């Protein structure tokens, strides 16, 4: 029971420290605050779980720093790959992508970051964690237990809200994709209509030219009729196009705060089912930010 108690304490402590590190790095890059966590609260569960597991599983290798480093690299790589794979299978989205970095595996992990995590784990196990353990051991167990119950309840609620928001985002991307597909169909239909009527007008003019000037007026009337038909087609579709564009605009402008935060927090996030719709949504959001 005591082991579980301290494991949860370590989890929440390192999840918070990991969140702080991610936010600081994002602020340094973008010069503004960005909540880089997967969840809404100030925690990054992958850091909490990763470090908590590391200090438990790596303790037998503390006597040899080279061995500790190698095992740390293997453990962190396996955890990051599995987390990325699981998130993509659950939500059909890739939350980070190392495909642009050398020696990557499926974009979930790459050698440079794996080596970095290995160095970080050695420092944590040998230097940082003993100090953290001493600090957390000062918390009275009854108080720590109450805090853990509260933290676990908040974490569960946060997970539920975030998961629901991601699923809703997938449905909105599907709607955007349907709107885009319908606009393309309308465009293709108008294009085909213009082509067919223009071709018919040219053929009619060529036929009338054979009878020379006597039928010149009839030829001009034919061209005018075709133009009027095309204008009527355009007018007929204009309202539908405007409606679809307005619906698309509203979907982009009325995204819930949780979804907006996720899109900002994970700029490299990809959606395997609606890749183009997600890119279009990002472009719209950038345009909205420029207007503001």
């Amino acid at each position: 029971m005591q082991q579980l108690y301290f494991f949860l304490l370590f989890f929440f402590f390192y999840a918070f420290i990991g969140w702080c590190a991610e936010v600081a790095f994002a602020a340094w890059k973008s010069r503004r605050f960005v909540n880089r966590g997967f969840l809404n609260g100030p925690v990054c569960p992958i850091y909490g779980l990763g470090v908590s597991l590391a200090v438990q599983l790596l303790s037998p290798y503390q006597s040899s720093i080279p061995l500790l480093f190698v095992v740390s690299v293997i453990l962190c790589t396996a955890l990051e790959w599995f987390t990325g794979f699981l998130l993509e299978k659950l939500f059909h989205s890739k939350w980070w992508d190392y495909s642009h970095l050398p020696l990557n595996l499926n974009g979930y992990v790459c050698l440079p970051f794996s080596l970095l995590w290995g160095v970080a784990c050695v420092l944590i196990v040998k230097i940082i964690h003993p100090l953290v353990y001493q600090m957390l051991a000062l918390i009275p167990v009854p108080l720590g237990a109450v805090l853990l119950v509260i933290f676990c309840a908040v974490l569960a609620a946060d997970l539920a809200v975030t998961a629901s928001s991601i699923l809703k985002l997938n449905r909105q991307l599907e709607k955007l994709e349907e709107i885009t597909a319908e606009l393309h169909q309308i465009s293709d239909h108008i294009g085909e209509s213009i082509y067919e009527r223009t071709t018919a007008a040219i053929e009619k003019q060529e036929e009338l030219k054979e009878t020379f000037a006597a039928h010149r007026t009839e030829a001009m009337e034919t061209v005018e009729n075709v133009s009027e038909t095309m204008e009527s087609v355009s007018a007929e579709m204009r309202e539908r196009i405007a409606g679809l564009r307005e619906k698309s605009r509203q979907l982009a402008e009325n995204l819930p705060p949780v979804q907006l935060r996720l899109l900002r927090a994970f700029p490299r996030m990809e959606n395997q089912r609606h890749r183009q719709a997600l890119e279009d949504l990002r472009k719209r959001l950038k345009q909205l930010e420029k207007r503001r």
Side-chain angles (χ1 to χ4, degrees), residues 1 15 65 71 84 101 104 109-110 160 164 184 236 246 292:
M1 195 68 180
I65 290 181
V71 177
L101 295 176
N104 71 84
V109 294
C110 66
S164 174
H184 281 308
E236 191 176 294
E246 177 63 18
R292 293 169 185 167

Side-chain angles (χ1 to χ4, degrees), residues 246-256 260 281 284-285 288 291-292:
E246 177 63 18
K247 189 176 180 181
S248 176
R249 185 189 64 80
Q250 288 181 356
L251 282 172
E253 291 185 1
N254 297 319
L255 284 179
L260 283 173
L281 179 59
R284 287 181 177 273
L285 292 175
L288 288 174
R291 291 173 192 170
R292 293 169 185 167

Side-chain angles (χ1 to χ4, degrees), residues 117-261:
W117 301 141
V119 172
C121 278
V122 171
L123 292 174
I124 289 169
V125 172
K126 298 291 288 185
I127 301 173
I128 299 173
H129 185 67
L131 299 174
V132 170
Y133 178 79
Q134 291 177 12
M135 180 182 68
L136 295 179
L138 296 175
I139 301 174
V141 174
L143 175 60
V146 171
L147 290 174
L148 286 178
V149 170
I150 295 172
F151 291 161
C152 287
V154 172
L155 180 65
D158 201 346
L159 278 169
V161 170
T162 302
S164 174
S165 296
I166 294 170
L167 294 175
K168 287 179 181 176
L169 177 60
N170 285 335
R171 289 195 291 270
Q172 286 171 310
L173 290 174
E174 186 177 354
K175 290 179 182 176
L176 285 172
E177 208 166 59
E178 290 172 356
I179 290 171
T180 302
E182 188 169 350
L183 285 170
H184 281 308
Q185 288 179 353
I186 291 173
S187 176
D188 292 342
H189 173 74
I190 292 174
E192 289 175 6
S193 178
I194 291 173
Y195 172 78
E196 290 172 0
R197 285 167 172 74
T198 303
T199 302
I202 292 172
E203 290 176 353
K204 188 67 176 177
Q205 280 184 303
E206 288 176 351
E207 290 176 7
L208 293 172
K209 280 180 182 177
E210 294 178 2
T211 58
F212 195 57
H215 298 285
R216 186 179 298 274
T217 303
E218 185 180 349
M220 295 304 295
E221 287 176 355
T222 301
V223 174
E224 289 174 3
N225 289 335
V226 171
S227 299
E228 288 174 3
T229 304
M230 289 189 293
E231 286 175 6
S232 67
V233 169
S234 178
E236 191 176 294
M237 296 294 186
R238 192 178 299 124
E239 186 176 348
R240 180 59 180 162
I241 292 172
L244 289 170
R245 287 186 173 278
E246 177 63 18
K247 189 176 180 181
S248 176
R249 185 189 64 80
Q250 288 181 356
L251 282 172
E253 291 185 1
N254 297 319
L255 284 179
V258 176
Q259 295 177 5
L260 283 173
R261 185 193 66 76

